[in-house]
């Protein structure tokens, strides 16, 4: 496993390129080092070999959804206590409960407010 964090590295996982770009730009502009993945499977492959300070993930993605990704990340020793934020259009109680049970640290509903995202990131780090 490589610890890639020169600055506070954050993994951004979303199947929407525009959301990945907006979140990554927001984080990079605030001094974080963002790494992006387009789905849960790609993110898990990255996370197996690299350590980041936090993860921001969507729920509905191809190949591996965000809830499954959270569960799989929590199985990795170096992600057991890493903050994982869910950034999604899903706002139902059932999905939030599933996210919490999988190990999500927090839940942010899209469209996201860049300042609100940064405030949440600062709070969990």
């Amino acid at each position: 496993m490589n610890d890639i964090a020169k600055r506070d590295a954050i993994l951004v996982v979303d199947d929407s390129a525009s959301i990945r770009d907006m979140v990554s730009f927001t984080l990079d502009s605030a001094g974080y080092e963002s790494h992006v993945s387009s789905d849960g499977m790609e993110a898990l492959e990255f996370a197996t070999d690299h350590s980041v300070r936090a993860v921001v993930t969507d729920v509905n993605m191809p190949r591996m959804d965000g809830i499954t990704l959270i569960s799989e990340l929590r199985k990795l020793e170096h992600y057991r206590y890493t903050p994982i934020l869910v950034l999604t259009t899903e706002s139902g109680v059932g999905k939030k409960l599933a996210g919490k049970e999988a190990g999500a640290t927090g839940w942010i509903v899209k469209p996201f407010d860049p300042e609100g995202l940064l405030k949440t990131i600062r709070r969990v780090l």
Side-chain angles (χ1 to χ4, degrees), residues 3 28 37 65 74-75 78 85-86 89-90 97 106 115 120:
D3 186 0
D28 291 345
S37 293
D65 66 79
R74 291 299 186 213
K75 293 176 186 175
H78 56 284
L85 301 175
V86 178
T89 56
E90 295 282 347
L97 183 58
E115 200 49 50
T120 302

Side-chain angles (χ1 to χ4, degrees), residues 2-16:
N2 294 325
D3 186 0
I4 56 175
K6 293 181 185 109
R7 299 182 280 165
D8 285 335
I10 299 174
L11 178 58
V12 178
V13 190
D14 202 300
D15 58 324
S16 165

Side-chain angles (χ1 to χ4, degrees), residues 16-55:
S16 165
S18 61
I19 295 292
R20 282 193 315 269
D21 290 348
M22 285 190 297
V23 173
S24 182
F25 176 80
T26 299
L27 295 171
D28 291 345
S29 296
Y32 296 99
E33 179 181 318
S34 64
H35 299 272
V36 296
S37 293
S38 60
D39 62 43
M41 189 70 74
E42 186 179 298
L44 185 60
E45 290 169 9
F46 177 88
T48 301
D49 295 327
H50 303 90
S51 177
V52 296
R53 293 280 315 276
V55 177

Side-chain angles (χ1 to χ4, degrees), residues 52-56 74 79 81-85 103-105 121 124-125:
V52 296
R53 293 280 315 276
V55 177
V56 177
R74 291 299 186 213
Y79 280 90
Y81 303 108
T82 301
I84 302 175
L85 301 175
T105 308
I121 291 287
V124 299
L125 290 179

Side-chain angles (χ1 to χ4, degrees), residues 69-106:
L69 172 61
I70 295 167
S71 295
E72 292 300 313
L73 287 173
R74 291 299 186 213
K75 293 176 186 175
L76 300 175
E77 179 71 29
H78 56 284
Y79 280 90
R80 191 163 296 152
Y81 303 108
T82 301
I84 302 175
L85 301 175
V86 178
L87 177 64
T88 183
T89 56
E90 295 282 347
S91 59
V93 174
K95 283 284 187 186
K96 286 183 180 179
L97 183 58
K100 184 175 182 173
E101 288 174 353
T105 308

